[in-house]
């Protein structure tokens, strides 16, 4: 019996030393200590020995079990370490490999201009207000002193949805809406950016959809001097410190007097170049003093209140500022075009500041 246990001990040692997986280790344990395992077999044999031999054999068998368990634990630790090492080796990251390039979006040039204009006017105490793009004839035209059959309607060929509803042709209806909604009929200072729509054939300078930013100030004793001062600040901020503006008479049904506003050319400083068509001046927006009929239509007393309004096209401003020659670039959104605006520092664009 002693020899048998000795052989078993040797066999266990060999097997555990050769073992190279945790799964195999479990099998070895079952083989030796399991219910039908080798120690069980020997224990049965011991039962039939006489009592003097029984005691010694029993002790030896227990000794074997302790020996096995100790060895088992050691092997288990060895295998666990081996498995961990293997995993670490397999999963190491090669930090010298080239990375995956992530394409980062850029701000659309139009958004850049609108943000810049909004920021400027907000810093002067204006609120930014938006209005509906599907507008009623009432707000788009009638309240702005453009009754049906008024020839001015031809200036803005419109997309009608029903007889009374259309895609707004300008952001001016927002000024009428804000005046209407102001129940106290008190002062107003707003700018209204948004999309507008006109039945135009698209070409380099025309688009069926574009954006406008409307400005409106209503208060007591507002004069054309306030309008001029405001637009001067605007021109200097957007086109450079040395810019000047000039007013030319114009016509809009909702303003009286109406003005076309030019800014001195930011490329040549006024001496004449292709950008300003050798005039030294570039037309940038329409403006005027709010027509008494509009004030009245929106519940304001023209005897007490006056105001100015202006409307500009951010596309045109972006085209001038960033030398973009085709308005269609803004909506075709080719990635090469948009990538040009990747790292524009706004102030870098104001070349003749
Ligand atoms: N709404 C005018 C246009 O689209 C622009 C404008 C706005 C003119 C406000 C004067 C005052 O042409």
């Amino acid at each position: 019996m002693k020899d048998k246990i000795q052989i078993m001990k040797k066999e266990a040692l060999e097997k555990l030393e050769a073992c190279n997986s945790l799964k195999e280790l479990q099998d070895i344990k079952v083989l030796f200590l399991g219910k039908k395992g080798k120690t069980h077999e020997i224990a049965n044999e011991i039962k039939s020995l006489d009592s003097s031999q029984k005691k010694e054999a029993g002790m030896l068998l227990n000794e074997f079990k302790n020996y096995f368990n100790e060895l088992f634990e050691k092997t288990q630790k060895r295998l666990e370490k081996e498995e961990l090492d293997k995993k670490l080796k397999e999963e190491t990251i090669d930090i010298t490999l080239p990375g995956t390039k992530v394409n980062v979006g850029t701000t659309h040039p139009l958004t850049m201009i609108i943000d810049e204009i909004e920021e400027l006017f907000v810093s002067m105490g204006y609120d930014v207000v938006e209005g509906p793009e599907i507008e009623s004839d009432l707000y788009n035209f009638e309240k702005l002193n453009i009754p049906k059959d008024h020839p001015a309607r031809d200036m803005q060929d419109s997309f009608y949805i029903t007889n009374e509803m259309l895609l707004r042709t300008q952001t001016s209806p927002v000024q009428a809406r804000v005046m209407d909604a102001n129940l106290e009929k008190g002062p107003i200072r707003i700018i209204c950016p948004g999309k507008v729509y006109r039945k135009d054939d698209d070409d380099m300078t025309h688009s069926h959809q574009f954006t406008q930013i409307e400005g409106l100030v209503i208060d007591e004793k507002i004069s054309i001097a306030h309008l001029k001062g405001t637009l001067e600040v605007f021109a200097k901020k957007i086109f450079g410190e040395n810019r000047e503006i000039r007013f030319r008479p114009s016509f809009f049904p909702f303003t009286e007097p109406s003005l076309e506003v030019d800014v001195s050319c930011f490329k040549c400083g006024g001496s004449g170049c292709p950008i300003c068509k050798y005039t030294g001046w570039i037309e940038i927006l329409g403006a005027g003093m709010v027509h008494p009929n509009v004030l009245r239509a929106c519940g304001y007393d023209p005897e007490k209140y006056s105001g100015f309004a202006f409307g500009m096209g951010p596309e045109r401003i972006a085209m001038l500022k960033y030398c973009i020659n085709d308005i269609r670039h803004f909506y075709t959104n080719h990635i090469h075009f948009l990538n040009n605006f990747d790292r524009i520092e706004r102030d870098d664009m104001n070349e003749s500041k």
Side-chain angles (χ1 to χ4, degrees):
M1 191 56 64
K2 201 175 165 183
D3 290 346
K4 222 174 179 178
I5 294 176
Q6 201 55 42
I7 291 168
M8 183 168 72
K9 209 169 162 181
K10 206 172 154 233
E11 196 191 343
L13 178 66
E14 277 170 7
K15 277 207 164 23
L16 288 172
E17 273 181 351
C19 172
N20 53 24
S21 83
L22 287 166
K23 161 98 186 51
E24 200 186 330
L25 184 65
Q26 282 310 319
D27 293 345
I28 296 174
K29 190 172 185 175
V30 172
L31 179 69
F32 286 93
L33 302 188
K35 270 187 192 154
K36 293 176 188 161
K38 287 179 189 281
T39 47
H40 194 72
E41 225 171 78
I42 291 179
N44 275 341
E45 283 173 32
I46 288 176
K47 276 183 200 158
S48 57
L49 294 176
D50 60 40
S51 60
S52 64
Q53 286 174 317
K54 220 184 214 172
K55 197 174 168 201
E56 200 199 343
M59 269 166 60
L60 284 174
L61 190 62
N62 272 345
E63 207 182 278
F64 168 80
K65 283 183 189 165
N66 289 340
Y67 170 80
F68 182 91
N69 281 334
E70 218 172 275
L71 213 57
F72 177 88
E73 254 175 56
K74 261 193 203 159
T75 314
Q76 193 174 27
K77 279 196 184 124
R78 168 176 65 84
L79 290 172
E80 278 170 358
K81 185 174 179 304
E82 274 174 18
E83 269 185 28
L84 184 68
D85 286 348
K86 195 172 151 223
K87 227 175 170 182
L88 284 174
K89 210 169 170 190
E90 277 169 5
E91 291 174 12
T92 33
I93 297 163
D94 182 355
I95 54 163
T96 61
L97 283 173
T100 323
K101 193 169 177 257
V102 180
N103 280 325
V104 183
T106 59
T107 309
H108 193 283
L110 206 50
T111 311
M112 279 166 49
I113 285 290
I114 294 171
D115 286 352
E116 196 178 349
I117 295 171
E118 276 183 15
E119 250 169 55
L120 169 66
F121 281 99
V122 166
S123 79
M124 295 198 282
Y126 285 64
D127 288 330
V128 179
V129 182
E130 289 186 356
E133 285 172 34
I134 298 175
E135 189 51 282
S136 61
D137 189 276
L138 178 69
Y139 279 104
N140 198 78
F141 291 126
E142 303 251 352
K143 288 219 181 220
L144 296 171
N145 201 28
I146 318 174
K148 289 210 164 65
D149 305 324
H150 191 291
R153 289 200 181 205
D154 297 343
M155 283 159 68
Q156 302 180 359
D157 233 346
S158 325
F159 289 113
Y160 271 89
I161 296 164
T162 66
N163 276 347
E164 286 304 316
M165 301 299 284
L166 71 156
L167 295 179
R168 68 178 176 195
T169 57
Q170 49 187 350
T171 42
S172 305
V174 189
Q175 47 162 299
R177 282 185 175 277
V178 172
M179 281 194 264
D180 249 6
N182 187 335
L183 297 178
E184 287 145 28
K185 302 299 166 199
I188 293 174
R189 215 180 317 173
I190 52 162
I191 56 161
C192 323
K195 297 191 188 85
V196 300
Y197 304 82
R198 290 187 197 176
K199 255 192 200 164
D200 261 333
D201 289 331
D202 291 13
D203 60 24
M204 279 172 84
T205 51
H206 294 87
S207 171
H208 61 285
Q209 182 217 294
F210 55 101
T211 49
Q212 278 191 341
I213 299 181
E214 187 87 4
L216 173 73
V217 170
I218 301 276
D219 209 334
E220 291 176 37
K221 301 194 179 72
I222 292 290
S223 77
I224 210 163
H226 296 115
L227 172 62
K228 190 160 191 217
T230 305
L231 293 180
E232 239 160 27
V233 172
F234 161 77
K236 285 181 196 299
K237 177 75 189 6
I238 302 295
F239 293 106
E241 217 27 73
N242 299 325
R243 298 289 73 76
E244 283 171 37
I245 58 166
R246 75 173 183 188
F247 285 165
R248 280 181 293 112
S250 183
F251 171 77
F252 300 105
F254 33 87
T255 46
E256 182 58 38
S258 298
L259 308 155
E260 214 70 76
V261 184
D262 297 342
V263 59
S264 58
C265 181
F266 56 91
K267 259 274 157 350
C268 63
S271 56
C273 73
I275 294 230
C276 60
K277 301 197 184 88
Y278 300 95
T279 63
W281 295 95
I282 300 173
E283 184 195 320
I284 49 161
L285 49 86
M289 302 306 292
V290 180
H291 198 294
N293 285 352
V294 176
L295 289 170
R296 228 173 274 122
C298 299
Y300 274 81
D301 175 5
E303 298 298 323
K304 188 173 174 206
Y305 281 103
S306 55
F308 65 75
F310 56 85
M312 62 180 97
E315 277 89 351
R316 179 162 164 75
I317 292 169
M319 285 169 85
L320 287 167
K321 238 184 128 163
Y322 304 143
C323 299
I324 298 165
N325 61 4
D326 194 327
I327 195 169
R328 290 169 292 194
H329 283 313
F330 291 116
Y331 63 84
T332 43
N333 280 332
H334 290 308
I335 207 84
H336 292 306
F337 168 74
L338 295 175
N339 280 344
N340 287 326
F341 300 91
D342 200 359
R343 275 168 230 162
I344 281 191
E345 287 280 326
R346 286 175 179 172
D347 290 340
D348 287 355
M349 297 305 291
N350 296 330
E351 286 166 32
S352 55
K353 248 190 172 174

